[in-house]
Amino acid sequence: MARPRRTITFVCQNCGAVTGRWQGKCEACGEWNTIVEENAAAPGPVTGRLPRKGRVFALEPLAGKARDAPRLTSGMIELDRVIGGGFVRGSVVLVGGDPGIGKSTLLIQAAAVMATKGHRAIYISGEEAVAQVRLRADRLGLAQAPVELAAETSVEDIVASLAEGKTPQLVIIDSIQTMWTDAVDAAPGTVTQVRSAAQALIRFAKRSSAAVFLVGHVTKDGQIAGPRVVEHMVDAVLSFEGDGSHQFRILRAVKNRFGPTDEIGVFEMTGAGLREVRNPSELFLSERDLGRPGTAVFAGIEGTRPLLVEIQALVAPSSLGTPRRAVVGWDPNRLSMLLAVLEAHCGVRFGSQDVYLNVAGGLRIHEPAADLAAAAALISSLAGVPLPTDAVYFGEISLSGAVRPVVQTAARLKEAAKLGFARAIIPEAARGEAAAEPAILLGTVGELCSLVAAIGAEIRGVHSVESGARRQEPAA
Ligand code: TYD
Ligand code: MG
């Protein structure tokens, strides 16, 4: 029998780019020392016969009836929300995250909930022995859940075993980097192996209509290690984030073919596994430093959910020629822009000051609506004046110093009122929409400078944020 032709190629383990020779630096992604020699089966005809004539297949109308409910809810509301309302049958989801963040814990919990509801859930571990997986399940109080386990790494064996018996509804592969296939000759963990293994599992998912979850490792700079290529092949990519010093874990959709990508799921890591957090604002505001300068509460929106979070700033005289600017949980470019606007339009000088900005609780904020809260925290720290503890802030700041309205004013105010806040500092133009929430005293700012003046006025004992602040009368 003719053997498939083998060719030697050099593949970047970071981005998957292929080159003809070894190089120290990958031309495609710029990483050093990532190019590895790999054996790959040559594409094209391997048997020497002529290419076969294509088979004719029938086309189907879009309006056809799906046989099953297209989605299965997992029963974990936070997970369901992130994937867009439940597992889509036949879909493949890649879950990435730092080592030890809780990916295995999350997925074994999801498998246990599904299995308890009577679905067939299979958990294949390539990293831990069956006994270790059992030990974890024991600790989580899930030892009695009818999840089927195996410790396997050969994709051919896995696909053959999964095809036996009743079709599983949920299959978890932990992790894709440990899987290998006979079809290619490269070492396990290389891009070629990971890609081929993922391809085989994706083919299985589409054919069997099982939902498949692949766990993927993450490199130091937060990308799913090696196979960026896998991200393009799967239907959804979820990232499980959090930092070691906090108990909060955030599940975020980075890509989703079947749902939104701006939803987050919030979990808390406890001694007995991950607990779903239904009201994240309470969690993020649970340890506030009340009455200290430099903190402001931002009323944000993550996906469809309002989320209140504290923004902390420290402005301190610098001993360095170039003062430090350090940001955790927010965009450093956004901070530079804000400082420039404060200097240029409001005459607030940060030139000889170190500036630190931190979003409490380990959360990352992407919304420009946080500008106003960050500005308030910065001015408060610089002036040494605490902001009112019962106020929330939101609004986008433009380069001209104007405070622009943001989406979902009413939802933000409603959440603030629910958590006992009495005032909100919001953009002038949002006043009309804000009237829907009569429980909140509104202070509106049209220009960033009026916020600076108002915080300055606090020093002199004036308590309202702007002369225009007024109590909203309940609608008659
Ligand atoms: P794990 O799910 O193994 O992480 P990953 O698969 O992402 O590498 O989680 C390991 C961490 O979670 C470990 O540091 C201990 C912690 N943990 C708890 O705090 N409580 C628990 O109930 C479990 C199972 C783990
Ligand atoms: Mg793990």
Side-chain angles (χ1 to χ4, degrees), residues 85-107:
F87 306 131
V88 175
R89 288 174 199 269
S91 71
V92 179
V93 179
L94 180 66
V95 182
D98 291 330
I101 202 79
K103 302 179 294 294
S104 305
T105 308
L106 174 72
L107 292 175

Side-chain angles (χ1 to χ4, degrees), residues 312-344:
Q312 306 165 344
L314 176 64
V315 180
S318 178
S319 56
L320 303 170
T322 312
R324 275 184 74 94
R325 306 282 182 246
V327 193
V328 178
W330 204 46
D331 181 2
N333 295 327
R334 210 80 209 161
L335 175 67
S336 306
M337 189 202 93
L338 207 54
L339 295 178
V341 172
L342 280 166
E343 294 223 20

Side-chain angles (χ1 to χ4, degrees), residues 100 102-105 123 127-128 136 174 215 217:
K103 302 179 294 294
S104 305
T105 308
Y123 184 96
E127 300 190 336
E128 291 161 283
R136 180 189 286 117
D174 188 2
V215 174
H217 291 260

Side-chain angles (χ1 to χ4, degrees), residues 4 46 64 92 159 176 204-205 281 290 322 326 355 370 407 444-445 472 475:
V46 290
V92 179
V159 170
I176 187 66
F204 166 77
S281 302
L290 291 174
T322 312
V355 177
V407 293
T444 54
V445 282
Q472 291 273 309

Side-chain angles (χ1 to χ4, degrees), residues 211-354:
V212 174
F213 273 67
L214 308 175
V215 174
H217 291 260
V218 159
T219 54
K220 273 194 252 72
D221 52 351
Q223 300 198 334
I224 296 191
R228 288 239 74 179
V229 271
V230 176
E231 293 189 24
H232 300 292
M233 292 155 58
V234 296
D235 297 306
V237 179
L238 309 183
S239 125
F240 204 34
E241 305 166 355
D243 65 44
S245 52
H246 291 100
Q247 299 307 304
F248 322 129
R249 300 284 184 270
I250 303 219
L251 187 66
R252 198 185 283 282
V254 181
K255 158 184 173 177
N256 197 349
R257 283 185 187 151
F258 306 118
T261 52
D262 52 1
E263 288 288 359
I264 62 166
V266 184
F267 297 87
E268 186 182 359
M269 183 59 96
T270 68
L274 290 161
R275 188 180 68 83
E276 296 182 70
V277 178
R278 295 289 154 72
N279 192 340
S281 302
E282 266 170 29
L283 192 73
F284 288 118
L285 294 179
S286 59
E287 290 162 19
R288 284 180 67 199
D289 297 335
L290 291 174
R292 302 263 182 84
T295 67
V297 175
F298 165 53
I301 296 276
E302 285 285 347
T304 52
R305 256 194 319 184
L307 185 64
L308 265 49
V309 55
E310 187 183 65
I311 295 188
Q312 306 165 344
L314 176 64
V315 180
S318 178
S319 56
L320 303 170
T322 312
R324 275 184 74 94
R325 306 282 182 246
V327 193
V328 178
W330 204 46
D331 181 2
N333 295 327
R334 210 80 209 161
L335 175 67
S336 306
M337 189 202 93
L338 207 54
L339 295 178
V341 172
L342 280 166
E343 294 223 20
H345 296 293
C346 311
V348 185
R349 301 265 169 259
F350 290 96
S352 57
Q353 311 277 344
D354 286 336

